Amino acid sequence: MAHEKGAPAYHPPDEAAIAKGTAAYTPRTLRLYDLVVHGISNRFLWRCPTERLREQHRALVADPHLEVGVGTGFFLDDPAIDENIRLTLFDANPHCLAHGARRLSGR
């Protein structure tokens, strides 16, 4: 595909790679995700406690807010974040979007 001189070339998304990269995040695995990732691996494998990540995330949330890579909605499900902010969820995986939206619907 031709492009203007100096402009970055457009590369259409690789649908197969996206599907492969998001395949692990199913409704079943998302139910365990917070326990495994935020409860165990953040602290012991990555040596970065979840509360530290949550504080950093909290500092970046403003109104309006676009959350890219929603996952389970864990970081947005935080009482310290104003429940009245205008929030947009974005994720390549429809299971993550649905899970995060359900989690945040009671806010």
Side-chain angles (χ1 to χ4, degrees):
M1 172 179 278
H3 63 277
E4 294 179 35
K5 184 177 179 180
Y10 172 75
H11 300 283
D14 181 341
E15 298 293 333
I18 293 169
K20 186 177 178 181
T22 63
Y25 303 100
T26 66
R28 183 177 181 188
T29 60
L30 289 171
R31 286 193 298 270
L32 299 172
Y33 186 89
D34 290 345
L35 172 67
V36 173
V37 173
H38 301 303
I40 299 169
S41 59
N42 285 351
R43 178 175 297 280
F44 299 107
L45 182 63
W46 303 116
R47 295 191 174 117
C48 186
T50 297
E51 187 53 36
R52 182 173 176 198
L53 297 172
R54 180 166 254 169
E55 289 169 4
Q56 291 175 346
H57 181 268
R58 191 180 292 145
L60 298 171
V61 175
D63 186 24
H65 181 75
L66 170 63
E67 186 79 357
V68 177
V70 174
T72 64
F74 177 85
F75 288 109
L76 288 170
D77 189 13
D78 180 347
I81 295 175
D82 182 357
E83 64 185 37
N84 296 311
I85 65 168
R86 292 168 291 164
L87 181 61
T88 301
L89 306 178
F90 181 87
D91 202 294
N93 185 315
H95 299 303
C96 291
L97 285 173
H99 189 97
R102 274 192 309 275
R103 181 178 199 155
L104 299 170
S105 67
R107 287 186 43 102

